[in-house]
Amino acid sequence: MDYVNVIVDISHEKLDRVFQYRIPEALKGKLEAGMPVRFPFGRGDRPMKGYVVGFAGTPDYPPEKIKELTGIVEGGVQAESRLIALAAWMRETYGSTMNQALKTVLPVRQQVAGKQDRTLCLNVPKERAGLLLEEALQKNHRAKARLLAALLDGGGRLSGQEAARLRITGPVIRRFEEEGVLRRETQTAYRNPFGGQFQRSAAIPQLTEGQRAAADGIREDYERGVHRTFLLEGVTGSGKTEVYMELIAREIARGRKAIVLIPEIALTVQTVRRFCERFGERVSVMHSRLSEGERYDQFVRAREGSIDVMIGPRSALFTPFSQIGIIIIDEEHEGAYKSETAPRYDAREAAAFLAERDGAMLVLGSATPSVETAYRAREGRYGWRRLTGRIGRAVLPQVEIVDLRQELKAGNRSIFSRRLAAAMDDRLKKREQIMLFLNRRGLSGFVSCRSCGKAVKCPHCDVTLSLHGDGSLRCHYCGYRIPMPESCPACGSPYISGFRAGTQQIEREVRRLFPAARVLRMDYDTTRTKESYGQILTAFGRGEADVLVGTQMIVKGHDFPNVTLVGVVAADISLYAPDYRAAERTFQLLTQAVGRAGRGAKAGEAVIQTYMPEHYAIQAAAAQDYGAFYDQELLYRGLMGYPPVQELLGVYLTAPDEDALSERAELLGRALRAETATGLQVIGPADAALTKKNDIYRKVIYIKHGRKEILLGVKKKLERRMETEDGWTNVRVQFDYNPMQAF
Ligand code: ADP
Ligand code: ZN
Ligand code: ZN
């Protein structure tokens, strides 16, 4: 590589411009992405600093016009360097422009002026001030007199607000300043989103034996260099957070920083409270709901070293810490850790990259680990620790599976089975609370049979077909399509249709059956405003309602000790999602939902309604048995060649012109199939799950292979092809590794 690409400034506006320089002989092989470098810039060859963002073998400009790099900026690795290196890695791994990658990792760039606290200070001895006060009184200079009197009263100091309250104007202050009677002190008050709200509390619980073993085991493995990444597996309430804090405390004691990722902004407050109670003021948050100023200040505080623990969703990974000691990813299985815009990075992989660079520890925590993570833990690539059982008195609930096919046979067409309705009646009488959960994830027009419970699936991909507007059923992986059948292909029953039950229907049904019950509903509609989410949960927590009806939002992280019944209204919906993670999602959601019952002293019960009571995801969730689920799921993944057994790369094509898109997609498909030597499996092209969005048509091709490097190689080849071949200007291509959602 003879040429290097640099960016001059890391403020938004100038990111777009990358400049190219020749690498002097002495520096060849010594440069890395992210390094700060010096070079001559502009017409006058002004000395300038910037960062390396990439390399080139051949120049993009006439070689005689390219100047030579001056040298490397001395002095340790800076936070920015690490983040720019991360951007370069993201670009390489996930396929995006460098610009998109830089904007992702350097989100807060614009300086937003901090709130300035102003203090006026007396600059002359008290006696002199006393004389000046007398003089001002004599001359009837009232503002001056008020100011001097206040300064003398305040021991020589007066706050800006106080001066304003005394109606002392700017010119008066300036005159005194010029005369040397007083001086102004300003101080930047950093905006702290949780400033002083939560205090450090003295009590740190003694870890249980299990927690102690987990924390010590992780630390020992890490220190002996056995593992860097760990899976901490344990149900909600098993004490994982205490283990995280124990590991973090040790890193802080060594002068290193911690990043704690949580899946949802909604969980921030409760997490921050726990961490502030343990680590005090040196805890902060970084997320998109903060004002720009607040974000900027957290950024500055982190860089200055006045924060030890940063908490937030996946973007908190981009905190400019000088040295990271530990990264925690709580609820690591959550889809939110995967970015759905380019670069489509996975925060777990990005965290591993950062951890590797800083020699930091990475801890993935979950009650229901993602199949990939569990696979790596079982293969010994990750350290693996488990916490069993809940802390304290709370026990896991009794779970019952109800077969909805039997309800139909018995003539019950209500949304609620007889079992669930009876249990609800019982709890309402006992004045205990109920949660009704409708899992709408993946509700994308599938067709299923109410007699036998089967959904119509693709014979090639074993994922559910989706119903389209023209009445056809289609596979979003391979493009297979059939007309909507009139009767169930499996059992011949005419009760085959799309599934239609929403949270509103459930709420209505509760009111119809139990007119006296007080019902709250939480779904997308009722949580549009920033506060509504918290308001609904608070009201329910205070016992202002008997029943909470909701989507997956209600199953996350909240403890309601008086909830003794959880009803899962239609467990199958997510099972029918048109992607290979459908069973995994279903298992996770059901486990979480069931776990909501009986968090207090009273025992809990859960009722799962389903058309597929024999499905392993439902059976395992009812038994709260992760291992049983994992074994079955891995068989399926292996059989069908899905991750983690095989690696999957989604190639997403979009274009405003449908014909051009089809032509390009076919072309790519043929080119990929011609790559037979590497043993690639190519699926598609097919219409995307969303065939058209904002008048842009979408198609997908999936590629499978056992090794990720092979897929990376293919991706590079495609990228080069699109740069050099005609016809790609109006067709955009994006890549997605082990996709979380159907495109
Ligand atoms: P998780 O993160 O696995 O959901 P937590 O760490 O939040 O579990 O623990 C669940 C509850 O038990 C919390 O209220 C926590 O304060 C409490 N707890 C955890 N560990 C201990 C301990 N060793 N002694 C007493 N209480 C504990
Ligand atoms: Zn059927
Ligand atoms: Zn298919």
Side-chain angles (χ1 to χ4, degrees):
M1 292 291 168
D2 290 337
Y3 299 91
V4 61
N5 295 329
V6 301
I7 48 169
V8 171
D9 196 322
I10 45 178
S11 63
H12 299 291
E13 316 89 87
K14 288 181 185 157
L15 278 183
D16 291 340
R17 283 286 286 161
V18 172
F19 298 90
Q20 204 163 59
Y21 285 85
R22 196 190 329 278
I23 305 176
E25 277 311 313
L27 291 183
K28 282 200 178 140
K30 291 191 180 149
L31 296 173
E32 276 175 34
M35 268 189 183
V37 287
R38 287 180 285 123
F39 41 81
F41 191 75
R43 282 209 199 112
D45 283 347
R46 241 172 332 130
M48 187 80 102
K49 282 188 210 168
Y51 293 91
V52 174
V53 296
F55 298 92
T58 50
D60 299 341
Y61 310 92
E64 66 278 7
K65 290 203 173 157
I66 299 184
K67 298 175 196 172
E68 194 160 273
L69 207 66
T70 320
I72 299 173
V73 177
E74 301 304 328
V77 185
Q78 289 157 12
E80 271 78 10
S81 298
R82 173 165 10 83
L83 293 175
I84 290 168
L86 177 65
W89 172 83
M90 277 187 177
R91 197 207 73 79
E92 195 68 15
T93 311
Y94 301 104
S96 73
T97 65
M98 189 61 199
N99 200 18
Q100 284 170 320
L102 285 169
K103 281 187 174 157
T104 305
V105 304
L106 302 170
V108 186
R109 285 290 126 197
Q110 214 84 337
Q111 170 149 12
V112 185
K115 199 167 134 277
Q116 299 278 313
D117 271 355
R118 204 174 43 147
T119 310
L120 304 177
C121 306
L122 205 53
N123 204 27
V124 293
K126 275 202 188 117
E127 299 72 42
R128 169 106 181 88
L131 291 176
L132 286 169
L133 172 59
E134 268 175 37
E135 192 185 313
L137 287 169
Q138 269 167 19
K139 292 187 180 163
N140 210 14
H141 290 166
R142 279 192 234 146
K144 274 190 180 177
R146 278 204 304 281
L147 175 54
L148 286 163
L151 276 166
L152 283 165
D153 282 349
R157 296 175 72 84
L158 184 68
S159 74
Q161 290 108 318
E162 195 58 11
R165 208 181 57 75
L166 293 170
R167 285 176 289 113
I168 292 161
T169 55
V172 175
I173 296 171
R174 268 198 297 282
R175 177 116 20 96
F176 267 165
E177 252 186 317
E178 281 158 19
E179 292 167 2
V181 176
L182 59 78
R183 73 195 139 76
R184 259 192 269 202
E185 276 180 10
T186 52
Q187 233 171 7
T188 305
Y190 284 125
R191 288 153 286 216
N192 185 350
F194 286 97
Q197 202 175 325
F198 308 121
Q199 255 79 56
R200 194 191 288 260
S201 81
I204 296 173
Q206 188 83 25
L207 292 190
T208 63
E209 238 168 79
Q211 287 171 317
R212 174 57 55 206
D216 289 350
I218 288 174
R219 194 180 46 85
E220 279 160 25
D221 268 15
Y222 167 68
E223 279 170 5
R224 296 207 335 263
V226 183
H227 291 110
R228 166 148 297 148
T229 304
F230 298 87
L231 166 61
L232 180 60
E233 188 179 325
V235 296
T236 322
S238 60
K240 296 186 294 298
T241 307
E242 291 297 329
V243 174
Y244 303 152
M245 292 200 283
E246 180 70 14
L247 293 168
I248 289 171
R250 258 191 264 247
E251 290 303 314
I252 293 176
R254 295 170 54 192
R256 313 220 294 177
K257 311 296 183 188
I259 294 175
V260 178
L261 299 190
I262 51 177
E264 270 189 70
I265 296 177
L267 299 175
T268 316
V269 180
Q270 62 189 66
T271 311
V272 169
R273 176 185 298 127
R274 291 273 299 271
F275 279 81
C276 284
E277 282 167 4
R278 176 79 177 254
F279 301 109
E281 285 281 292
R282 296 177 66 85
V283 173
S284 190
V285 291
M286 185 85 105
H287 60 68
S288 58
R289 293 223 190 126
L290 298 183
S291 71
E292 232 176 275
E294 283 173 328
R295 259 184 296 165
Y296 180 75
D297 285 356
Q298 304 328 301
F299 184 85
V300 174
R301 288 175 70 208
R303 203 167 41 187
E304 284 177 357
S306 49
I307 291 173
D308 289 330
V309 184
M310 184 63 88
I311 298 169
R314 61 171 193 254
S315 59
L317 212 46
F318 311 132
T319 303
F321 278 143
S322 53
Q323 202 181 18
I324 301 171
I326 181 167
I327 302 174
I328 307 282
I329 304 187
D330 195 27
E331 310 284 350
E332 69 85 29
H333 60 275
E334 287 286 341
Y337 289 123
K338 177 82 190 298
S339 166
E340 294 300 338
T341 53
R344 294 171 178 268
Y345 69 95
D346 183 327
R348 296 169 303 179
E349 292 174 347
F353 174 87
L354 288 178
E356 187 72 40
R357 265 184 79 101
D358 277 15
M361 180 194 299
L362 172 60
V363 181
L364 308 173
S366 178
T368 51
S370 63
V371 176
E372 302 97 272
T373 297
Y375 184 69
R376 293 190 191 122
R378 280 160 172 80
E379 286 205 316
R381 280 192 271 165
Y382 292 171
W384 183 19
R385 297 281 159 176
R386 271 178 287 190
L387 295 175
T388 45
R390 282 178 174 166
I391 302 254
R393 276 184 305 170
V395 289
L396 294 172
Q398 248 356 91
V399 187
E400 192 168 343
I401 299 175
V402 173
D403 186 345
L404 287 175
R405 296 170 301 187
Q406 298 304 324
E407 295 296 309
L408 187 70
K409 272 196 196 137
N412 175 15
R413 294 191 174 210
S414 158
I415 299 174
F416 302 128
S417 61
R418 292 159 295 176
R419 182 75 197 80
L420 181 55
M424 287 170 67
D425 188 42
D426 176 63
R427 296 319 133 104
L428 288 170
K429 285 193 181 115
K430 289 185 184 152
R431 310 219 61 84
E432 292 172 2
Q433 286 177 300
I434 301 164
M435 282 170 113
L436 295 177
F437 168 55
L438 182 73
N439 165 17
R440 285 186 56 88
R441 186 171 260 157
L443 186 59
S444 62
F446 63 87
V447 165
S448 65
C449 169
R450 292 191 70 178
S451 299
C452 76
K454 297 224 163 59
V456 188
K457 289 194 164 192
C458 172
H460 310 295
C461 306
D462 202 29
V463 300
T464 306
L465 298 178
S466 298
L467 181 60
H468 280 245
D470 62 1
S472 68
L473 292 177
R474 299 189 207 172
C475 172
H476 296 314
Y477 283 7
C478 72
Y480 175 82
R481 94 162 61 178
I482 51 168
M484 166 77 191
E486 311 235 307
S487 58
C488 171
C491 75
S493 159
Y495 291 109
I496 178 169
S497 67
F499 193 96
R500 274 181 288 274
T503 40
Q504 290 184 29
Q505 277 110 307
I506 296 174
E507 183 184 358
R508 225 175 292 139
E509 185 73 356
V510 177
R511 291 188 194 282
R512 189 179 71 81
L513 292 176
F514 308 103
R518 297 164 303 162
V519 190
L520 274 175
R521 177 163 62 88
M522 185 150 110
D523 56 20
Y524 182 71
D525 282 336
T526 60
T527 53
R528 295 264 173 88
T529 67
K530 201 166 150 182
E531 300 80 27
S532 48
Y533 181 91
Q535 281 164 355
I536 296 173
L537 291 175
T538 309
F540 189 63
R542 281 206 216 104
E544 287 165 23
D546 307 301
V547 185
L548 177 61
V549 177
T551 55
Q552 46 267 25
M553 290 178 196
I554 66 171
V555 302
K556 302 255 164 78
H558 305 277
D559 268 359
F560 299 110
N562 199 36
V563 170
T564 58
L565 174 65
V566 168
V568 180
V569 178
D572 313 345
I573 296 181
S574 56
L575 218 42
Y576 298 138
D579 77 88
Y580 72 89
R581 289 177 204 266
E584 179 177 352
R585 293 266 164 72
T586 304
F587 174 77
Q588 287 161 352
L589 283 167
L590 290 182
T591 307
Q592 273 178 347
V594 163
R596 292 298 107 201
R599 298 301 294 270
K602 289 173 228 164
E605 177 187 0
V607 175
I608 298 178
Q609 303 193 143
T610 171
Y611 289 100
M612 291 199 269
E614 67 290 341
H615 194 286
Y616 63 88
I618 289 171
Q619 290 284 339
Q624 309 259 301
D625 186 347
Y626 181 80
F629 163 75
Y630 174 86
D631 291 343
Q632 286 294 317
E633 182 65 10
L634 205 71
L635 279 179
Y636 161 74
R637 302 280 177 100
L639 209 60
M640 299 306 297
Y642 288 125
V645 180
Q646 299 256 321
E647 301 284 329
L648 185 68
L649 176 64
V651 183
Y652 302 157
L653 297 96
T654 51
D657 177 350
E658 197 175 8
D659 293 338
L661 179 67
S662 295
E663 189 257 330
R664 287 288 124 177
E666 291 300 330
L667 190 75
L668 266 200
R670 275 198 303 277
L672 286 167
R673 286 202 168 80
E675 304 247 348
T676 44
T678 55
L680 283 183
Q681 205 185 331
V682 181
I683 305 147
D687 284 340
L690 251 178
T691 29
K692 189 163 105 173
K693 187 177 172 187
N694 297 333
D695 288 325
I696 303 288
Y697 292 89
R698 298 145 64 93
K699 284 194 178 285
V700 295
I701 299 175
Y702 288 97
I703 320 174
K704 284 182 197 169
H705 197 278
R707 287 175 47 213
K708 188 167 183 174
E709 305 85 80
I710 300 287
L711 291 179
L712 270 172
V714 172
K715 174 175 80 66
K716 263 209 189 114
K717 235 179 180 171
L718 291 184
E719 282 173 331
R720 263 204 302 282
R721 180 185 180 130
M722 284 171 272
E723 272 169 25
T724 52
E725 193 178 69
D726 289 337
W728 289 102
T729 30
N730 292 320
V731 180
R732 239 165 65 91
V733 177
Q734 295 179 57
F735 298 94
D736 195 0
Y737 268 104
N738 296 346
M740 284 282 181
Q741 293 176 9
F743 178 66

